[in-house]
């Protein structure tokens, strides 16, 4: 079939294909970008596959970067754009259930496409917008079916991360996994324990923040893949609860909100230690912890100046979103009003520092000074004290007497 509406991203990259073909080689757009174009979804990365070898690509284009030349990938800098161009290749045995021991460059498009994970990711698109479909991917696309290319058992034993990628595609594309493919996923799920945590996090995070995350999470549970992910081994009840805790059409606004919601449904476990196992950043851990703390506080009382000052309007709104998705009362307008009423949003905005008080009242650093500074901050937040130097000195003098 021919792609009727060619995305501008492909049109802009078309001269790359034409230049390679003029040099006597084959070249195609391949992979997920072709799938997304067929589905009418936004295009992110344009990948090009070619029969020309890396050194031949470097001879065709003036500006290139060897970003993965050992695997056949060259970054071509052309027409104010950057394009990854990869040589058709076959792969040797996978030594760690993730990466092949070696790759061999070939001149055959079919040999290159047959090593890909799912049929809907194994399309090629030529310069005339003709879709090349060697594995009935178009039929699977019509049926919104996720099917492994070739033998599913081989695809997942080669690269176990494909299991998580498949579950993520279910969540992002609203696809159903073909029966034999799903059986192979479930059989090979234990291999996920051998995959780097960072890689699994990326896929699970994308799953949770996708429009159809409930469908993806359902597939994660049913495949039993969760049992081989950090800290989820005995969390089946919490995962099931996550599916029913919020409205069916609710979509998480951020990764931090998604993980906070997940953790609130799991068995009691220290948030930071849980997220450390997933190799997340300290800032990510801090934000998720704050969201959970604020949610718990919000369950006890409504928003007030101190909570908006401490946690910030953005986190407060994320918490309200979770409450709304659970059918609980919300206070968006109050949060906006409280935020606007704050004279400061961070203590660095206070016009006086500890050194100013030490100089004005001849006091030394210590608990007394710290207590006064805390009282100044609280009073400004509550609107009891102006963020004015003279007013703050008068306020402090009364408390230092």
């Amino acid at each position: 079939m021919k792609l009727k509406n060619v995305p501008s991203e492909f049109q802009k990259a078309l001269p790359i294909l034409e230049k390679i073909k003029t040099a006597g080689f084959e070249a195609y757009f391949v992979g997920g970008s072709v799938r997304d174009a067929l589905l009418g979804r936004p295009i992110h990365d344009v990948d090009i596959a070619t029969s020309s070898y890396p050194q031949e690509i470097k001879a065709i284009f003036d500006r290139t970067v060897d970003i993965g030349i050992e695997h056949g990938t060259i970054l071509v800098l052309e027409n104010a754009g950057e394009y990854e161009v990869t040589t058709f290749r076959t792969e040797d045995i996978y030594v760690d259930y993730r990466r092949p021991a070696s790759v061999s460059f070939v001149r055959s498009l079919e040999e290159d496409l047959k090593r890909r994970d799912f049929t809907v990711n194994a399309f090629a698109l030529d310069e005339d917008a003709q879709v090349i479909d060697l594995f009935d991917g178009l039929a699977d696309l019509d049926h919104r079916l996720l099917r492994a290319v070739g033998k599913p058992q081989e695809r997942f034993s080669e690269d176990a991360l494909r299991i998580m990628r498949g579950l993520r595609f279910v969540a992002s594309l609203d696809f159903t996994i073909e029966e034999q493919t799903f059986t192979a996923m479930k059989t090979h799920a234990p291999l996920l324990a051998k995959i780097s945590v960072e890689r699994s996090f990326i896929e699970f995070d994308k799953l949770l923040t996708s429009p159809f995350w409930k469908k993806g999470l359902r597939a994660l549970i049913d495949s039993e893949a969760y049992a081989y992910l950090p800290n989820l081994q005995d969390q089946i009840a919490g995962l099931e609860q996550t599916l029913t805790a919020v409205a069916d059409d609710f979509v998480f606004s951020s990764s931090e909100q998604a993980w906070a919601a997940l953790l609130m449904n799991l068995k009691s476990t220290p948030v930071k230690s849980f997220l450390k196992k997933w190799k997340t950043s300290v800032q990510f851990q801090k934000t998720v912890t704050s969201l959970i703390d604020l949610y718990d506080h919000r369950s006890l009382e409504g928003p007030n100046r101190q909570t908006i000052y401490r946690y910030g309007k953005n986190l407060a709104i994320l918490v309200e979103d979770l409450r709304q998705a659970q059918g609980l009362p919300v206070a968006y307008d109050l949060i906006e009003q409280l935020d606007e009423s704050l004279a400061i949003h961070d203590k660095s905005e206070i016009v006086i520092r500890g050194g100013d008080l030490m100089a004005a009242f001849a006091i030394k650093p210590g608990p007394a000074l710290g207590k006064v500074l805390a009282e100044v901050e609280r009073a400004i937040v509550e609107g009891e004290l102006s963020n004015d130097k003279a007013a703050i000195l008068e306020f402090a003098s009364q408390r230092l007497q």
Side-chain angles (χ1 to χ4, degrees), residues 1 3-10 29-47 118-125 131 137-138 141 144 146 165 168-175 206 210-212:
M1 70 165 286
L3 185 62
K4 294 180 180 179
N5 299 310
V6 180
S8 60
E9 292 85 354
F10 286 155
F29 299 119
V30 294
S33 60
V34 181
R35 176 203 67 220
D36 288 339
L38 289 165
L39 290 173
R41 288 163 53 90
I43 302 298
H44 298 292
D45 299 317
V46 174
D47 294 322
F118 303 103
T119 60
V120 296
N121 292 336
F123 297 117
L125 185 73
V131 177
L138 288 171
L141 210 62
R144 307 192 77 80
L146 196 67
R165 280 171 53 81
R168 187 247 295 180
F169 288 136
V170 168
S172 61
L173 301 174
D174 191 23
F175 277 27
K206 288 180 178 179
S210 291
F212 308 99

Side-chain angles (χ1 to χ4, degrees), residues 147-181:
R147 183 195 308 270
V149 172
K151 297 179 180 179
Q153 304 284 349
E154 292 180 2
R155 297 291 80 76
F156 300 122
S157 63
E158 288 169 347
D159 183 356
L161 188 64
R162 286 170 174 164
I163 297 170
M164 292 300 296
R165 280 171 53 81
L167 298 172
R168 187 247 295 180
F169 288 136
V170 168
S172 61
L173 301 174
D174 191 23
F175 277 27
T176 299
I177 304 173
E178 181 268 334
E179 184 177 353
Q180 292 184 7
T181 299

Side-chain angles (χ1 to χ4, degrees), residues 194-243:
K194 301 179 181 294
I195 298 299
S196 75
V197 173
E198 293 89 343
R199 293 277 187 174
S200 292
F201 174 83
I202 290 171
E203 298 300 334
F204 191 28
D205 184 67
K206 288 180 178 179
L207 184 159
L208 290 174
T209 53
S210 291
F212 308 99
W213 66 271
K214 283 196 174 186
K215 190 172 183 178
L217 188 57
R218 177 78 268 163
L220 176 81
I221 294 170
D222 292 344
S223 68
E224 299 177 7
Y226 73 91
Y228 306 97
L229 298 175
N231 288 328
L232 293 181
Q233 292 79 4
D234 60 347
Q235 297 283 11
I236 181 67
L239 291 171
E240 291 281 2
Q241 187 173 325
T242 302
L243 287 172

Side-chain angles (χ1 to χ4, degrees), residues 96-115:
D96 56 3
Y97 307 103
R98 177 71 187 103
R99 292 168 299 212
S102 63
V103 300
S104 299
F105 303 144
V106 295
R107 302 288 189 186
S108 166
L109 173 64
E110 181 177 0
E111 287 298 313
D112 182 78
L113 294 180
K114 69 166 52 173
R115 69 180 176 80

Side-chain angles (χ1 to χ4, degrees), residues 346-364:
D346 187 87
K347 64 181 179 181
S348 64
E349 298 173 17
I350 299 175
V351 297
I352 274 184
R353 302 284 183 270
D356 298 317
L357 296 183
M358 289 166 60
F361 301 106
I363 58 175
K364 296 180 179 180

